[in-house]
Structure formats: structure tokens, C-alpha cells
Amino acid sequence: MNALDTGAGAPDGGMSRDSPDQARLGQLAEEQAALRRVATLVAQGEPPEAVFAAVAEEVGQLFRVELATLFRYEPGRTATSVTTWGADRSSGPLGAALRETGIRSAVGTPVVVEGRLWGVTFTASTLDQPLPPDTETRLASFTELVATAIANTESRAALARLAQEQAALRRVATLVAQATPPEQVLVAVAEETGRLLAVDYTVLIRSDPENMITVVGGWTATGGALPSPAGSRFEVGGRNVSTLTLRTGRPARLDAYVDVTGSIGNTGAQGWGFRSSVGVPISVEGRPWGLILVAYTRDQQLPADTEARLASFTELAATAIANTESRAALARLAQEQAALRRVATLVAHGAAPEQVFAAVTEEYARLVPVDAAAMARLEPDGRVTYVASWGRAVDFIPVGSQRTLDGNNIATAVFETGRPARVESQAGATGSLADLVREIGVRSVVATPVVVEGRLWGEMGAGSTLKQPLPPDAETRLASFTELVATAIANADSHAELLASRARIVAAADETRRRIERDLHDGTQQRLVSLGLAARAAEADVAVGRGDPRAELSRIAAGLADAAAELQEFSRGIHPAILSDRGLGPALRTLARRSAVPVDLDVATDARYPEPIEVAAYYVASEALANAMKHAQASLVQMSLAARDGSLLLSIRDDGIGGADPARGSGLAGLADRVEALGGSIHVHSAAGAGTHITVDLPGPPADR
């Protein structure tokens, strides 16, 4: 018999009963009143715990059962009692508890919150008869109110959480807008995340290409310092959240710190006391940057939504990092451009290379920054001469000191490959330069070659004593400065070559003038003086009537004819008449006919060119033939003249002994000055035993004549 059908409580103890309709109406009124009371609590936004308790009590009294309880389902097929009315003996395994209570029948109705199974509302009776068949339906009305209360509470919690996240974003964004240093921004990100998720630790970790990670910031719920401070480095590897996150590029979690391996995993478990942790990767502008890790030191798992909430915040962190890095990059670029401008100004003003070397070394060292920097010039004997040093390097490698280029180290790597290089330690490095770096005390070193007009001139290196490596762009920034060094060296070399060329031109002009003076004085001038004296003597003889003046005058006339011929021959050595009258082709043919060494001549053009062009080509050919006869021991000379692409090309090749060096006074140095002054080029190839080949490229279209 159902408890609702009993006559217990009738005034006379008899068998009088209400009619079924009246009983049903009364039951419905009670149920609606109970539902209204619970609905009022829900509408007033009471906490779920209060609604749970009210529902259990209302259900227990309405259905006249001995037990009413609500369970929330947990991961791992467990359930937690959130409220109980009636017999309070439901702890432990549910079946055993019910048997101990004497329960005979029970009904359970699921609590579904916004489509997901949240828990169950449970009622039970100790009576022999079962609960009424409509108990499930009537109970469902209450579970709907429970679900609404839970959903409302979760919505309010979500709104509060969103407000907290937005507030955190504003605080971080304010720091970024105020140009706060990156280190402070990262600390703020860690603290905001930790407080938002109510964890015990938050750690910001950055990865680098060397398969290492670096702690860059963190926060603790206790307010104490991180067990491993910012700057601490660990190797990626093993089974731990950091490695899993970085290797997969996806969030990772460890709900229990068992079987954790790797240096960072062991540090988290033993040094930090982690019991559960979650890591979410941080990507900044599409590139992997690192991760943010949160952890509990308490013996419980992090909530199931930690990854989702943390992922939302890592987007804010990535934005803060990107903005901060962009600002830092702009500031760094401005500093770099200012340093480069200062050096470029020195170069443009023609400062001495030594001054540029010192300025470049100091500007780069202060910009990166580093603790030591030096620049060295490569010598022909394989040694290096230091032309600048800065910082800690000054006491070990003063300017002018030399070192042997030996062993396997960063300097030899640069000179052997001609490319920039870096090392993070001196482990395994050998040679005197490796020993020098160890003496200076630097750990991370970068170096780049100095290339001047295509040839390896030297190298510049810089190093830091800190454990962390130099910035990844250190080599690129160093190359920008060494380019200015190369320009300064090239300018100085060009200036020196120009001065030497001018000196050679002046010396050649002076030598030509002295030769002309000497030849005129010793030859034609003496002949003309002698003829003048003979004329005066003939004049005196005529005055006194002595001798035969006609014979003397005939001798004087013959002497004058010889002097004229001598002057004509002399003028050919300065500027042959055939060159002016008929052009370069006929002049070269005449030169070839007069050569003591047979000449195979090929003239492919008889076009006329501006006089300076023709004169330069003629003198190169004349000097080359003279050298072939005097020095090369040649038996044949091949000479060709051709026009191509607006240039005049002259080639002279002999089969002599070779080994000609224009710098050793072959006469070609002065001719090279003449050719280059016209905007042309001259190249001499003269390997020992392989003859000499001279090529001349002179600009200019044919002249209109």
C-alpha cells in the first residue's frame, strides 16, 4: 500500500478517505507549491548548494521517502554527493549504504545541464511497496529546476571569468602601451594567469633552436621566488609537460607526477613539488615561441577546462609578447641605425681605417651588448694581426698583437668557410685562438668575415660571459658593421692607389721630360750648336775673302738635313705620325714590322677612335713588344685588335718565360694608370713558364672623322 493512500491521521481512526480526485488535487497543489519555492530560489540567483538542499528536502517531504540526494558525476566513473536529505548514511559505496539504510525501492532521474549529463537526483523508500509509477516524471520537474540553477550559476561564473580575463587583458595591454620592458610584461602575464586560474605556479618558458628552454618569468601563489629563477635553462627531452607541449605543438597535461623524466620534469617534480600540470604552446605571429605552464602542488588534478582557459589567455600573452617584441625591435633597429650612421659618417669623411676599426668594434659591442670584441687582419703567412679590441679583450689582445691561425675554433671556421659562425661554449675548441677565448672568459661567441672587394681581408668576433647565448640575429647585425669596415678599407686602398697612380704619372712625366731634355741636349742640340758655329766661321771667311764658302755652306745644309731627320725620328718615339694620320690599325702594323720578335697581328677594325684611346692602346702594344724582346725571351707574339659592344679590345700574348709583375717596374704600371684614367681596364696574366698575356679594354665608340 502506498504511503499516500494510508488512512493514518484520520480523526476517528476509521476507514474514511478523501476521494481519489481530491487526493490528486492536493498532491498537485503540494507539488506546485514545492516547485514554486524552488523556482523562487533559482530566480533569486541563490547558490547551487542552497538550491540542491531545497530540492532534496522538498522531494523527500513531497514523496514521503526516507532518502533524497543529488549526485554530481566526476571523471573516472565516480559520483560525489552534493546534498542529502533524510538518512545521512550515503558515504562510501552507494549499494552498501543503501542496504545499510534498509532501502527497498529507489528512483533516479538524470540532471542534464545544457545538453551534458551533470548528475542524478535520487529518492529511496524503506517501505515494501514500490514508489508510485509517476515518481520519475514528477521528479524530473525538480531536476529541471536543478539544471536551470546550475546553468545560471555557470553562466554567472562564466561572465565573471570573462570579466576577469578582460581585466587581465587590459592590465597587460596597459603595460605594453606604456613601453614596459619585456621582462616586466612577462612577469605580469604569469601573475595574471596564475591568479585567474587559481593555481600554485605559473611559468613562462621560451624555446630556442639549440633544443633548450629558458625560464623567462613566473609567479607563485605564495608570493615567493621561483625555485628556478628567470634565465634558468633546461634541455628539452623526456616525459614532461614542457617537452610534450613543444614537441607536439598542442596543449599537454600530467594529472600525476609519476614516471616523469627529463631535466625539466625532475626539476618540476622534486624541486618545485608539482603534482599536476598543464602546458599550452605560445605562438607569436605564426612562429613557435614557447609555452605557458600552470601547476598544482596540492594532491588534486587541475580542472578539466584548464587547457581551454589557459589557451584563451595564451592568445593575450602572445599579443603582449608580439607587441613588446615589436617595440623592442623598433628600438633596437633605431639604435642599430644610429650606430651605423655614426660609423658611416666616419667612412664618408675618409677617416683612417684604424679609427673606423675602433669605432665599429665599440659600437657593435655596446649595441648587442657583449663583454669583449676584436677585429683581426689575415696575413699572408697565416697569422692574424689584431687591428682593434674592446672590453675584456683589450688586456689580452692589444692592437698590433699577432696570433697563429691554427686548430679548430671559431676563427679558423670563419677563415676556412668565409661565412659567419657562432659557438655557445669552447668545449672541444683547439688552437691558440681557442686558448685565448678561454683566457678572456667569454662563453658565447659570434664571428663574421670581413670581405673587401671579393677577397677575404680578416674577421671580427664578439663574445659574452653570460650563460645564455647571444641573440639569434647577432651575426646578421655584426655583418652590417663589417660591411662598413670593408668600405672603409676599400676606400683607403683606392685612395692609396690613387695617390700612387698620381705619383707614378708625375714621375713618368718627369722622366719623359728629362729624357727629352737629355736626348735633345746630347743629340740635336749639340748638332745645331755645331752647325751654328760653322755658319759664323763661314761668315767670317767670306768677310776676309778666305776659302770657298760654297763648300762650307753645303756641309752646313747637310748637317741641318741630318738634324731634321733626327728630330723626325725622335718625334716618332713620342707620338708616331702614322698614328695621327692613318689611325691605330696602320700604326700597329708598322710597329709589328719593326719588332725584333715576330708578330702575328690580327686587326679586325680600322675604325678611328678618340686620340687618347688610340695613343693609350699604341703605347701598351709598344711596351708589350719591348718587354717580349728584352725580358720574356719570346719567339712569337700574337696581337689582336677588335671592336665589341662599344669598346676597343687589345690583346697581346707572347710565348716567353712569363713571371712579369707590373709592380716591379715593367713599364706597364704607368700604362695601367693611363688606361684606367680613360675609364678602361688592363689585365696582366703572366704565370711562370706560361708566357704573358695582356688584355686592354678601352671605352668609347669610334670617332667621327
Short mmCIF file of all heavy atoms in Angstrom, two decimals, residues 596-642:
data_model
loop_
_atom_site.label_atom_id
_atom_site.label_comp_id
_atom_site.label_asym_id
_atom_site.label_seq_id
_atom_site.Cartn_x
_atom_site.Cartn_y
_atom_site.Cartn_z
N ALA A 596 111.57 43.22 -83.26
CA ALA A 596 112.63 42.22 -83.38
C ALA A 596 112.08 40.81 -83.18
O ALA A 596 112.72 39.84 -83.57
CB ALA A 596 113.74 42.51 -82.37
N VAL A 597 110.90 40.69 -82.51
CA VAL A 597 110.25 39.39 -82.30
C VAL A 597 109.11 39.28 -83.30
O VAL A 597 108.33 40.22 -83.46
CB VAL A 597 109.72 39.26 -80.85
CG1 VAL A 597 109.02 37.92 -80.65
CG2 VAL A 597 110.83 39.45 -79.85
N PRO A 598 109.00 38.17 -84.02
CA PRO A 598 107.91 38.01 -84.99
C PRO A 598 106.54 38.23 -84.33
O PRO A 598 106.29 37.76 -83.22
CB PRO A 598 108.07 36.58 -85.48
CG PRO A 598 109.50 36.24 -85.24
CD PRO A 598 109.91 36.98 -84.01
N VAL A 599 105.69 38.97 -85.06
CA VAL A 599 104.37 39.31 -84.52
C VAL A 599 103.30 38.78 -85.46
O VAL A 599 103.33 39.06 -86.68
CB VAL A 599 104.20 40.83 -84.35
CG1 VAL A 599 102.79 41.15 -83.86
CG2 VAL A 599 105.24 41.37 -83.39
N ASP A 600 102.35 37.99 -84.90
CA ASP A 600 101.17 37.53 -85.64
C ASP A 600 100.05 38.51 -85.31
O ASP A 600 99.46 38.44 -84.23
CB ASP A 600 100.82 36.11 -85.22
CG ASP A 600 99.62 35.56 -85.97
OD1 ASP A 600 99.10 36.27 -86.85
OD2 ASP A 600 99.20 34.43 -85.65
N LEU A 601 99.78 39.44 -86.25
CA LEU A 601 98.85 40.55 -85.98
C LEU A 601 97.52 40.30 -86.65
O LEU A 601 97.46 39.93 -87.84
CB LEU A 601 99.46 41.86 -86.48
CG LEU A 601 98.60 43.11 -86.30
CD1 LEU A 601 98.36 43.40 -84.82
CD2 LEU A 601 99.27 44.31 -86.99
N ASP A 602 96.42 40.53 -85.87
CA ASP A 602 95.06 40.42 -86.41
C ASP A 602 94.32 41.70 -86.05
O ASP A 602 93.94 41.90 -84.89
CB ASP A 602 94.35 39.19 -85.83
CG ASP A 602 92.90 39.08 -86.33
OD1 ASP A 602 92.57 39.72 -87.34
OD2 ASP A 602 92.11 38.35 -85.68
N VAL A 603 94.13 42.58 -87.07
CA VAL A 603 93.41 43.84 -86.85
C VAL A 603 92.03 43.68 -87.45
O VAL A 603 91.88 43.61 -88.69
CB VAL A 603 94.16 45.03 -87.49
CG1 VAL A 603 93.35 46.31 -87.32
CG2 VAL A 603 95.54 45.19 -86.86
N ALA A 604 91.01 43.59 -86.57
CA ALA A 604 89.64 43.36 -87.02
C ALA A 604 88.87 44.64 -87.24
O ALA A 604 87.71 44.60 -87.67
CB ALA A 604 88.90 42.48 -86.02
N THR A 605 89.47 45.79 -86.93
CA THR A 605 88.78 47.07 -87.14
C THR A 605 89.80 48.12 -87.51
O THR A 605 90.89 48.19 -86.93
CB THR A 605 88.01 47.50 -85.87
OG1 THR A 605 87.43 48.79 -86.11
CG2 THR A 605 88.93 47.59 -84.66
N ASP A 606 89.46 48.93 -88.51
CA ASP A 606 90.28 50.09 -88.89
C ASP A 606 89.55 51.39 -88.56
O ASP A 606 89.91 52.46 -89.05
CB ASP A 606 90.60 50.05 -90.39
CG ASP A 606 91.73 49.05 -90.69
OD1 ASP A 606 92.65 48.95 -89.86
OD2 ASP A 606 91.66 48.37 -91.73
N ALA A 607 88.49 51.28 -87.73
CA ALA A 607 87.75 52.48 -87.33
C ALA A 607 88.65 53.38 -86.49
O ALA A 607 89.55 52.91 -85.80
CB ALA A 607 86.51 52.08 -86.54
N ARG A 608 88.40 54.67 -86.60
CA ARG A 608 89.15 55.64 -85.82
C ARG A 608 88.46 55.86 -84.47
O ARG A 608 87.23 55.91 -84.37
CB ARG A 608 89.28 56.98 -86.56
CG ARG A 608 90.02 56.91 -87.86
CD ARG A 608 91.43 56.37 -87.66
NE ARG A 608 92.21 57.11 -86.70
CZ ARG A 608 92.97 58.18 -87.00
NH1 ARG A 608 93.06 58.60 -88.26
NH2 ARG A 608 93.67 58.80 -86.06
N TYR A 609 89.29 56.01 -83.45
CA TYR A 609 88.80 56.25 -82.09
C TYR A 609 89.37 57.57 -81.60
O TYR A 609 90.34 58.09 -82.18
CB TYR A 609 89.21 55.10 -81.17
CG TYR A 609 88.38 53.85 -81.36
CD1 TYR A 609 88.62 52.99 -82.42
CD2 TYR A 609 87.32 53.56 -80.50
CE1 TYR A 609 87.85 51.86 -82.62
CE2 TYR A 609 86.55 52.43 -80.69
CZ TYR A 609 86.82 51.59 -81.75
OH TYR A 609 86.04 50.48 -81.94
N PRO A 610 88.81 58.13 -80.51
CA PRO A 610 89.38 59.38 -79.98
C PRO A 610 90.87 59.23 -79.76
O PRO A 610 91.36 58.15 -79.38
CB PRO A 610 88.61 59.58 -78.68
CG PRO A 610 87.30 58.89 -78.90
CD PRO A 610 87.62 57.70 -79.76
N GLU A 611 91.60 60.31 -79.98
CA GLU A 611 93.06 60.27 -79.93
C GLU A 611 93.60 59.68 -78.63
O GLU A 611 94.52 58.84 -78.68
CB GLU A 611 93.65 61.67 -80.16
CG GLU A 611 95.17 61.69 -80.19
CD GLU A 611 95.73 63.06 -80.45
OE1 GLU A 611 94.94 64.02 -80.54
OE2 GLU A 611 96.96 63.19 -80.53
N PRO A 612 93.08 60.04 -77.42
CA PRO A 612 93.63 59.45 -76.18
C PRO A 612 93.48 57.93 -76.15
O PRO A 612 94.35 57.23 -75.62
CB PRO A 612 92.81 60.12 -75.07
CG PRO A 612 92.32 61.39 -75.68
CD PRO A 612 92.07 61.09 -77.12
N ILE A 613 92.39 57.41 -76.74
CA ILE A 613 92.18 55.97 -76.76
C ILE A 613 93.22 55.31 -77.65
O ILE A 613 93.86 54.31 -77.28
CB ILE A 613 90.75 55.64 -77.25
CG1 ILE A 613 89.70 56.25 -76.31
CG2 ILE A 613 90.56 54.13 -77.39
CD1 ILE A 613 89.69 55.70 -74.93
N GLU A 614 93.43 55.86 -78.84
CA GLU A 614 94.39 55.27 -79.77
C GLU A 614 95.81 55.35 -79.23
O GLU A 614 96.59 54.38 -79.34
CB GLU A 614 94.30 55.97 -81.12
CG GLU A 614 92.99 55.71 -81.85
CD GLU A 614 92.96 56.29 -83.24
OE1 GLU A 614 93.74 57.24 -83.52
OE2 GLU A 614 92.17 55.81 -84.07
N VAL A 615 96.15 56.48 -78.60
CA VAL A 615 97.50 56.64 -78.06
C VAL A 615 97.75 55.64 -76.94
O VAL A 615 98.82 55.01 -76.87
CB VAL A 615 97.71 58.09 -77.57
CG1 VAL A 615 99.01 58.22 -76.79
CG2 VAL A 615 97.71 59.05 -78.75
N ALA A 616 96.75 55.45 -76.04
CA ALA A 616 96.91 54.50 -74.93
C ALA A 616 97.12 53.09 -75.46
O ALA A 616 98.00 52.36 -75.00
CB ALA A 616 95.70 54.56 -74.01
N ALA A 617 96.31 52.68 -76.43
CA ALA A 617 96.44 51.33 -76.99
C ALA A 617 97.80 51.16 -77.67
O ALA A 617 98.46 50.11 -77.54
CB ALA A 617 95.30 51.06 -77.97
N TYR A 618 98.25 52.18 -78.40
CA TYR A 618 99.53 52.10 -79.09
C TYR A 618 100.67 51.93 -78.10
O TYR A 618 101.57 51.09 -78.30
CB TYR A 618 99.74 53.35 -79.94
CG TYR A 618 101.06 53.36 -80.67
CD1 TYR A 618 101.21 52.72 -81.90
CD2 TYR A 618 102.17 53.99 -80.12
CE1 TYR A 618 102.43 52.70 -82.57
CE2 TYR A 618 103.40 53.98 -80.77
CZ TYR A 618 103.51 53.34 -82.00
OH TYR A 618 104.73 53.33 -82.65
N TYR A 619 100.66 52.71 -77.02
CA TYR A 619 101.75 52.63 -76.06
C TYR A 619 101.77 51.29 -75.32
O TYR A 619 102.84 50.76 -74.99
CB TYR A 619 101.66 53.78 -75.06
CG TYR A 619 102.18 55.08 -75.62
CD1 TYR A 619 101.66 56.30 -75.20
CD2 TYR A 619 103.19 55.10 -76.57
CE1 TYR A 619 102.14 57.49 -75.71
CE2 TYR A 619 103.67 56.28 -77.10
CZ TYR A 619 103.14 57.50 -76.67
OH TYR A 619 103.62 58.67 -77.18
N VAL A 620 100.57 50.72 -75.03
CA VAL A 620 100.54 49.40 -74.40
C VAL A 620 101.16 48.37 -75.34
O VAL A 620 101.98 47.53 -74.93
CB VAL A 620 99.09 49.00 -74.03
CG1 VAL A 620 99.05 47.53 -73.59
CG2 VAL A 620 98.56 49.88 -72.92
N ALA A 621 100.79 48.42 -76.64
CA ALA A 621 101.35 47.48 -77.60
C ALA A 621 102.86 47.66 -77.73
O ALA A 621 103.62 46.68 -77.76
CB ALA A 621 100.67 47.67 -78.96
N SER A 622 103.32 48.91 -77.77
CA SER A 622 104.76 49.18 -77.89
C SER A 622 105.52 48.66 -76.68
O SER A 622 106.57 48.02 -76.82
CB SER A 622 104.97 50.70 -78.06
OG SER A 622 106.35 51.00 -78.14
N GLU A 623 104.98 48.90 -75.48
CA GLU A 623 105.65 48.45 -74.26
C GLU A 623 105.65 46.93 -74.17
O GLU A 623 106.65 46.31 -73.76
CB GLU A 623 104.96 49.04 -73.03
CG GLU A 623 105.58 48.66 -71.70
CD GLU A 623 106.96 49.29 -71.51
OE1 GLU A 623 107.24 50.33 -72.12
OE2 GLU A 623 107.75 48.71 -70.73
N ALA A 624 104.55 46.27 -74.58
CA ALA A 624 104.47 44.81 -74.54
C ALA A 624 105.48 44.18 -75.49
O ALA A 624 106.14 43.19 -75.15
CB ALA A 624 103.05 44.36 -74.89
N LEU A 625 105.65 44.75 -76.69
CA LEU A 625 106.65 44.23 -77.63
C LEU A 625 108.06 44.43 -77.10
O LEU A 625 108.92 43.55 -77.24
CB LEU A 625 106.48 44.89 -78.99
CG LEU A 625 105.21 44.50 -79.77
CD1 LEU A 625 105.13 45.29 -81.07
CD2 LEU A 625 105.20 43.01 -80.05
N ALA A 626 108.30 45.59 -76.49
CA ALA A 626 109.62 45.84 -75.92
C ALA A 626 109.94 44.85 -74.81
O ALA A 626 111.05 44.31 -74.72
CB ALA A 626 109.70 47.27 -75.41
N ASN A 627 108.95 44.55 -73.95
CA ASN A 627 109.16 43.58 -72.86
C ASN A 627 109.38 42.18 -73.41
O ASN A 627 110.19 41.41 -72.88
CB ASN A 627 107.97 43.59 -71.91
CG ASN A 627 107.91 44.84 -71.06
OD1 ASN A 627 108.92 45.54 -70.90
ND2 ASN A 627 106.73 45.13 -70.51
N ALA A 628 108.62 41.83 -74.48
CA ALA A 628 108.79 40.50 -75.07
C ALA A 628 110.20 40.31 -75.61
O ALA A 628 110.77 39.21 -75.54
CB ALA A 628 107.76 40.30 -76.18
N MET A 629 110.77 41.41 -76.14
CA MET A 629 112.12 41.32 -76.70
C MET A 629 113.17 41.36 -75.59
O MET A 629 114.12 40.56 -75.59
CB MET A 629 112.36 42.47 -77.67
CG MET A 629 113.75 42.48 -78.31
SD MET A 629 114.02 43.94 -79.34
CE MET A 629 113.96 45.24 -78.11
N LYS A 630 113.02 42.24 -74.60
CA LYS A 630 114.07 42.45 -73.59
C LYS A 630 114.05 41.42 -72.47
O LYS A 630 115.10 41.03 -71.96
CB LYS A 630 113.93 43.85 -72.98
CG LYS A 630 114.14 44.98 -73.97
CD LYS A 630 113.91 46.32 -73.28
CE LYS A 630 114.04 47.49 -74.24
NZ LYS A 630 113.78 48.79 -73.57
N HIS A 631 112.85 41.02 -72.03
CA HIS A 631 112.74 40.23 -70.80
C HIS A 631 112.13 38.84 -70.97
O HIS A 631 112.50 37.91 -70.25
CB HIS A 631 111.89 40.99 -69.77
CG HIS A 631 112.33 42.40 -69.54
ND1 HIS A 631 113.55 42.72 -69.00
CD2 HIS A 631 111.69 43.58 -69.81
CE1 HIS A 631 113.66 44.05 -68.93
NE2 HIS A 631 112.54 44.58 -69.41
N ALA A 632 111.21 38.68 -71.91
CA ALA A 632 110.42 37.45 -71.95
C ALA A 632 111.09 36.31 -72.69
O ALA A 632 110.64 35.16 -72.59
CB ALA A 632 109.05 37.72 -72.58
N GLN A 633 112.16 36.62 -73.47
CA GLN A 633 112.81 35.60 -74.29
C GLN A 633 111.79 34.90 -75.20
O GLN A 633 111.81 33.69 -75.39
CB GLN A 633 113.53 34.56 -73.42
CG GLN A 633 114.53 35.16 -72.44
CD GLN A 633 115.12 34.13 -71.49
OE1 GLN A 633 115.12 32.93 -71.81
NE2 GLN A 633 115.62 34.58 -70.35
N ALA A 634 110.87 35.70 -75.75
CA ALA A 634 109.79 35.16 -76.56
C ALA A 634 110.26 34.92 -77.99
O ALA A 634 111.15 35.61 -78.50
CB ALA A 634 108.60 36.11 -76.55
N SER A 635 109.64 33.96 -78.65
CA SER A 635 109.92 33.68 -80.06
C SER A 635 108.76 34.09 -80.95
O SER A 635 108.90 34.13 -82.18
CB SER A 635 110.22 32.20 -80.25
OG SER A 635 109.09 31.41 -79.87
N LEU A 636 107.61 34.39 -80.36
CA LEU A 636 106.43 34.79 -81.13
C LEU A 636 105.50 35.60 -80.25
O LEU A 636 105.31 35.29 -79.07
CB LEU A 636 105.70 33.56 -81.67
CG LEU A 636 104.42 33.84 -82.47
CD1 LEU A 636 104.76 34.58 -83.79
CD2 LEU A 636 103.65 32.56 -82.76
N VAL A 637 104.91 36.64 -80.85
CA VAL A 637 103.91 37.46 -80.17
C VAL A 637 102.64 37.44 -81.01
O VAL A 637 102.70 37.63 -82.24
CB VAL A 637 104.40 38.91 -79.98
CG1 VAL A 637 103.27 39.76 -79.40
CG2 VAL A 637 105.61 38.96 -79.08
N GLN A 638 101.51 37.17 -80.38
CA GLN A 638 100.21 37.23 -81.04
C GLN A 638 99.48 38.48 -80.56
O GLN A 638 99.30 38.67 -79.36
CB GLN A 638 99.37 35.99 -80.72
CG GLN A 638 99.94 34.70 -81.28
CD GLN A 638 99.14 33.49 -80.84
OE1 GLN A 638 98.77 33.38 -79.67
NE2 GLN A 638 98.87 32.58 -81.77
N MET A 639 99.09 39.35 -81.52
CA MET A 639 98.44 40.61 -81.18
C MET A 639 97.15 40.72 -81.98
O MET A 639 97.12 40.41 -83.17
CB MET A 639 99.36 41.79 -81.49
CG MET A 639 98.81 43.14 -81.06
SD MET A 639 99.87 44.54 -81.56
CE MET A 639 101.40 44.10 -80.78
N SER A 640 96.06 41.15 -81.29
CA SER A 640 94.78 41.32 -81.98
C SER A 640 94.12 42.61 -81.51
O SER A 640 94.30 43.04 -80.36
CB SER A 640 93.85 40.13 -81.73
OG SER A 640 93.49 40.06 -80.36
N LEU A 641 93.35 43.22 -82.43
CA LEU A 641 92.60 44.45 -82.15
C LEU A 641 91.20 44.26 -82.68
O LEU A 641 91.01 43.87 -83.84
CB LEU A 641 93.27 45.65 -82.81
CG LEU A 641 92.60 47.01 -82.57
CD1 LEU A 641 92.79 47.44 -81.12
CD2 LEU A 641 93.17 48.07 -83.51
N ALA A 642 90.18 44.50 -81.83
CA ALA A 642 88.79 44.30 -82.24
C ALA A 642 87.90 45.29 -81.52
O ALA A 642 88.24 45.81 -80.45
CB ALA A 642 88.35 42.86 -81.95
#
